[in-house]
Amino acid sequence: MRRRGFLAASLALPWLGGCAPAPARRRDDVLRFGLAGPVRNLDPRLATDATSARVNRLLYVPLVDFDAASRPVPVLATWEQRDATRYRFTLGHGGRRFADGQRLTAADVAATYRSVLDPATASPHRATLSLIDAVEVLDADRLEFRLQAPDPLFPAYLGVGILPAGLIESGQGFQRVPVGSGTFRLLDWPEPGRLLLERRRDRQRFELVTVKDPNVRVMKLLRGEIDLLQNDLAPELVAFLRRRRGIRMERIDGVNFSYLGFNLEDPATGDPRVRRAVAHGIDREAVLRYLFRGGGRTAEAMFPPEHWAGAPELRGHLYDPAASRALLADAGWSGERRLVLSYKTSSDPFRLRLATVIQSQLAAVGIDLRIQSYDWGTFFGDIKAGRFQLYGLTWVGIRTPDIFRYVFHSAALPPAGANRGRYRSAVVDALIEQAQQAPDPARRAALYRQLQARLHADLPYVPLWYEDQFYAARDDIVGYHLAADGNYDGLDQVHVHGAEPSPSSRLIQ
């Protein structure tokens, strides 16, 4: 009961009490979308933060996107595999008009990917796409990619938004002056944290406003200063908004993967018994029930069960304090010799509360957690540099199984990849390589399931959960649909009740 009370405790916010009035009415015809973090880079070749990537999806159109099971599907183009290392793409009719009026052709696609492969561009996509040997334009509507070696996953890698070849050649600063063929275009970027977009088919304007403090973001929604917000609120704020008159809320299962990462070169966290003790010492169900207020589901692998390469048969490391203590004792941590671990996290208030819950649970099994919180830049810099014993993070928007090579292959130690915990396994390396080369989709999925089972046993990560996606909006804002990975694609259809949007099209003709 004591533990449950700790988990159920809510942050005391004086303005949450009492009856709040309905949100004030809108002041103009601009729809305002409240963001927790600013847009930083509107060049899809270079953006690395989630907010920028989500806005770039509105401004640019890629060759390929994903269906609900994360299989690649055509957007700008269909494709056929001509042989083991040659893919031909044929552009369709939609998404062929850039915001400056130019028509998008195969030359623009080729120029975009050639620029990604150019080391001078310093694109984070270059490592994944380095298997491309050449890009050949056949005519205005067709081009071919030739690979250095077979890779059956290749079409799924082509998610970079397409830019105009002429502007690439002239050195256009797309980071601040984007030109894409998406359903939106940039009107103005007057200051950091404020972005004005226009939906191209009906000229509806949207202002993307950064409000870092979640309490202030909620107050602005109630005062009518923003019309819509998505995610990045503590559960008690979500519960508060759910009770407010004049607020519409929706929630769906999410797919972004939260986990604890270990430094396997550290004497303590490099011991698999210690990692298993941590896994058995965390009551994930209780955390989701009381801290997240039911806003998530437990995870056993990076991909959810519904992903084509998911592993629904994996059984969780159940909460078992006795097993956790036994593992610690076997590793030499018992009695007066208690294990002390450093846990790094961001300074976000909710992530700090989560860290204290994990600290409390692990203390009960004999692990003293020392929480170290930093601003995001410092925290993530430490993680990338390997300066940690234990940390908590979330992978956002991962769709393709090449992530396993990037994160867990022994050849992917930084700076060659994101194997930040220095995990090394010849078995995992072999499974990654076999799965990437398997031409049969069923065989490929089976190999990825074997791979995830091995990772689940070795625990370079302790899988935690997939947090739900939600949005809150004024009740006259309708048509917004959530994406399981948190993308902002719902802005394509959102409108004010009574002002029906023109017929939907993901692509501008």
Side-chain angles (χ1 to χ4, degrees):
M1 290 299 294
R2 187 174 179 183
R3 174 177 55 79
R4 178 176 294 188
F6 176 71
L7 285 172
S10 294
L11 182 65
L13 300 172
W15 59 272
L16 290 184
C19 296
R25 294 295 95 184
R26 188 176 302 98
R27 295 165 296 160
D28 52 33
D29 61 352
V30 177
L31 293 179
R32 292 177 171 83
F33 188 33
L35 304 178
V39 174
R40 293 182 171 88
N41 192 322
L42 294 180
D43 187 332
R45 302 168 300 171
L46 301 175
T48 56
D49 65 287
T51 302
S52 297
R54 288 165 177 163
V55 173
N56 281 332
R57 282 179 58 86
L58 306 175
L59 299 172
Y60 300 89
V61 181
L63 290 178
V64 173
D65 205 353
F66 299 93
D67 65 13
S70 291
R71 300 182 188 91
V73 292
V75 181
L76 266 179
T78 57
W79 66 88
E80 58 176 320
Q81 187 172 0
R82 308 285 286 181
D83 57 41
T85 59
R86 193 160 52 106
Y87 290 80
R88 178 173 293 179
F89 284 76
T90 302
L91 299 176
H93 297 292
R96 299 289 299 273
R97 188 67 60 186
F98 286 113
D100 65 355
Q102 298 181 68
R103 182 150 177 84
L104 187 154
T105 70
D108 299 303
V109 178
T112 297
Y113 280 94
R114 287 168 183 158
S115 70
V116 168
L117 294 169
D118 184 349
T121 306
S123 171
H125 302 288
R126 181 171 178 264
T128 299
L129 295 170
S130 60
L131 80 164
I132 297 173
D133 185 55
V135 185
E136 179 185 357
V137 175
L138 303 178
D139 54 40
D141 299 324
R142 298 181 305 153
L143 73 160
E144 286 190 353
F145 290 87
R146 291 200 301 274
L147 310 185
Q148 298 175 15
D151 188 336
L153 296 176
F154 174 69
Y157 303 157
L158 301 181
V160 179
I162 304 304
L163 301 87
L167 295 181
I168 294 173
E169 179 66 26
S170 67
Q172 169 94 356
F174 293 99
Q175 300 97 318
R176 296 283 305 183
V177 188
V179 179
S181 63
T183 51
F184 287 76
R185 68 185 182 98
L186 177 69
L187 289 183
D188 195 13
W189 195 343
E191 61 187 22
R194 284 185 59 223
L195 207 66
L196 189 64
L197 304 181
E198 181 180 80
R199 192 162 58 197
R200 292 171 63 189
R201 71 167 181 273
D202 60 4
R203 306 191 71 177
Q204 172 65 57
R205 291 181 297 157
F206 294 80
E207 186 176 27
L208 278 54
V209 185
T210 301
V211 185
K212 292 184 179 180
D213 188 300
N215 303 316
V216 176
R217 209 177 318 128
V218 167
M219 286 191 287
K220 285 182 175 289
L221 178 66
L222 295 177
R223 290 201 300 246
E225 296 176 27
I226 61 175
D227 302 294
L228 172 72
L229 57 82
Q230 178 178 301
N231 297 331
D232 299 304
L233 295 182
E236 63 271 8
L237 288 174
V238 176
F240 167 76
L241 285 174
R242 196 178 295 279
R243 299 191 301 267
R244 294 305 93 182
R245 180 166 53 91
I247 295 295
R248 178 194 307 274
M249 288 204 69
E250 289 190 16
R251 191 173 212 154
I252 64 169
D253 286 346
V255 298
N256 295 331
F257 170 69
S258 294
Y259 65 96
L260 298 181
F262 296 97
N263 186 339
L264 275 71
E265 292 183 342
D266 181 88
T269 51
D271 188 330
R273 295 167 296 185
V274 168
R275 299 197 298 276
R276 288 198 294 272
V278 170
H280 286 302
I282 298 173
D283 189 344
R284 297 179 299 164
E285 295 282 1
V287 173
L288 288 173
R289 185 178 304 118
Y290 299 114
L291 187 64
F292 284 88
R293 301 194 181 191
R297 51 181 171 151
T298 56
E300 304 305 334
M302 295 184 78
F303 294 122
E306 60 269 21
H307 191 285
W308 70 263
E313 73 284 354
L314 289 177
R315 295 295 172 258
H317 297 279
L318 298 179
Y319 177 56
D320 189 341
S324 183
R325 294 187 194 98
L327 286 161
L328 289 171
D330 188 55
W333 303 100
S334 61
E336 296 299 317
R337 190 168 183 258
R338 286 175 66 90
L339 176 61
V340 179
L341 295 178
S342 164
Y343 176 82
K344 289 194 173 182
T345 186
S346 75
S347 55
D348 175 83
F350 181 72
R351 299 302 151 184
L352 273 173
R353 292 167 59 204
L354 174 59
T356 61
V357 170
I358 293 173
Q359 179 187 53
S360 176
Q361 292 187 342
L362 292 182
V365 300
I367 300 173
D368 292 335
L369 217 55
R370 301 289 185 256
I371 298 171
Q372 297 177 278
S373 67
Y374 305 92
D375 66 88
W376 172 256
T378 302
F379 163 61
F380 195 48
D382 279 356
I383 303 310
K384 290 190 292 185
R387 294 189 293 267
F388 60 84
Q389 276 187 304
L390 178 66
Y391 68 92
L393 263 179
T394 300
W395 280 104
V396 175
I398 56 172
R399 293 285 200 157
T400 58
D402 63 303
I403 188 71
F404 292 120
R405 174 178 286 277
Y406 182 61
V407 174
F408 297 119
H409 198 285
S410 58
L413 303 183
N419 187 348
R420 297 161 186 147
R422 276 65 179 174
Y423 172 68
R424 295 174 177 87
S425 167
V427 173
V428 164
D429 289 352
L431 285 169
I432 288 171
E433 289 156 12
Q434 291 169 32
Q436 285 191 314
Q437 297 303 317
D440 176 61
R443 174 62 177 159
R444 197 180 314 139
L447 287 166
Y448 281 124
R449 287 194 291 273
Q450 291 180 43
L451 166 63
Q452 290 168 92
R454 184 57 183 251
L455 292 170
H456 198 259
D458 288 351
L459 286 178
Y461 285 179
V462 170
L464 294 177
W465 40 69
Y466 311 108
E467 295 179 30
D468 288 353
Q469 303 287 340
F470 65 86
Y471 80 86
R474 302 155 48 92
D475 63 0
D476 61 344
I477 302 296
V478 296
Y480 192 82
H481 297 289
L482 286 163
D485 59 2
N487 282 326
Y488 303 152
D489 296 2
L491 293 178
D492 184 45
Q493 284 298 294
V494 71
H495 60 281
V496 181
H497 181 67
E500 297 298 327
S502 57
S504 171
S505 174
R506 170 71 177 88
L507 307 175
I508 301 297
Q509 303 301 314

